[in-house]
Amino acid sequence: MLKKILRIKLHYQILIALILAVLAGSLSGTEGSLLGIKLYGAYDFIGQLFLNGLKMLIVPLVVSSIIVGMMGIGTGEAVGRLGGKTLVYYATTSLLAILVGLFMVNLTSPGIIDGKPARELIGLGELPTHLAQHIADKGSGDLIGIFLRMVPANIIEAGAKGQMLGLIFFSLLFGFFLTRVKGSGGDSLRHF
C-alpha cells in the first residue's frame, strides 16, 4: 500500500494531504477529542513542529546555496558582470512594477468610494499617533541602519535571529573569497 502511495507524484500527495487535513479539521472542530486528547491541540502541535522544521532549514539552505553559487561564478570579472546584469534586471523589473502599480491605482482608485475616502465611510479615524510617529521618523538614519545590519558583528547571532540581510552578505563575501583560497585548505573548504 505504501509503495502505491509513494508512486503518486509529489504534488498530488501534497494536494491529497491538504484535502485530508481540511476534512479532519472540519470534522473535529476546536472541541473534538480522541481518547481524551483534544485534536485541536494535536493539530497545533504538529503545525508548530512543521513550521519550526522549516525555519530550522532556512538559514543553512540560504547560506550554502549562496556560497556554492558564488564559488560557481568564479572570478571577480564574472561577479562584476553578473552584478551589473542583476542591477539592470532589478531596475527594469522595479520600474515595470511601479508603472503597472501606478496605472492600476489611477484606473481603479482604491480606497475611494463615491468620491470619499473609504476610512471615513467605514469609521476609521486617523492613524494612531504611535504609528504616525513611527512612519514620520524615517530618514537617512534608517539607510545607515540597513548597512549596519548588512555587516553583523556575529554571524551566528545573526543566523539565530534570522537576520537574512547579514547572512546573505556574509555568504556572498565568503563564497567570493573562497574562490581565492588555493591549496588543500581551499579544496577542503570547497568540498565542505
Side-chain angles (χ1 to χ4, degrees), residues 6-176:
L6 293 177
R7 279 191 224 147
I8 299 173
K9 292 187 178 188
L10 181 61
H11 58 278
Y12 290 126
Q13 290 180 28
I14 293 170
L15 182 62
I16 291 168
L18 285 171
I19 291 170
L20 290 174
V22 168
L23 283 174
S26 298
L27 292 175
S28 67
T30 57
E31 298 300 320
S33 64
L34 181 67
L35 301 173
I37 299 172
K38 291 275 188 185
L39 292 176
Y40 185 78
Y43 299 153
D44 184 49
F45 174 73
I46 292 168
Q48 284 298 318
L49 280 179
F50 179 72
L51 289 176
N52 288 348
L54 287 177
K55 290 176 186 176
M56 178 178 64
L57 291 175
I58 288 172
V59 169
L61 203 60
V62 167
V63 169
S64 62
S65 63
I66 291 174
I67 290 173
V68 170
M70 285 301 292
M71 285 185 339
I73 292 173
T75 65
E77 184 178 305
V79 171
R81 271 197 316 272
L82 182 64
K85 289 178 184 178
T86 303
L87 190 62
V88 168
Y89 177 76
Y90 177 73
T92 304
T93 55
S94 295
L95 177 66
L96 287 174
I98 290 167
L99 291 176
V100 168
L102 286 173
F103 175 76
M104 294 305 291
V105 163
N106 288 325
L107 182 70
T108 62
S109 299
I112 305 294
I113 301 173
D114 296 328
K116 294 181 181 178
R119 71 178 160 84
E120 293 174 7
L121 295 173
I122 59 175
L124 294 177
E126 295 294 320
L127 276 176
T129 52
H130 69 281
L131 285 178
Q133 290 172 350
H134 183 70
I135 293 170
D137 292 342
K138 299 296 178 193
S140 61
D142 294 318
L143 183 61
I144 292 169
I146 291 171
F147 283 108
L148 288 175
R149 284 192 312 271
M150 194 166 69
V151 185
N154 184 339
I155 195 67
I156 304 298
E157 183 181 359
K161 291 183 177 179
Q163 296 171 344
M164 297 307 291
L165 183 62
L167 289 171
I168 291 169
F169 186 71
F170 169 80
S171 301
L172 287 170
L173 287 177
F174 191 84
F176 176 75

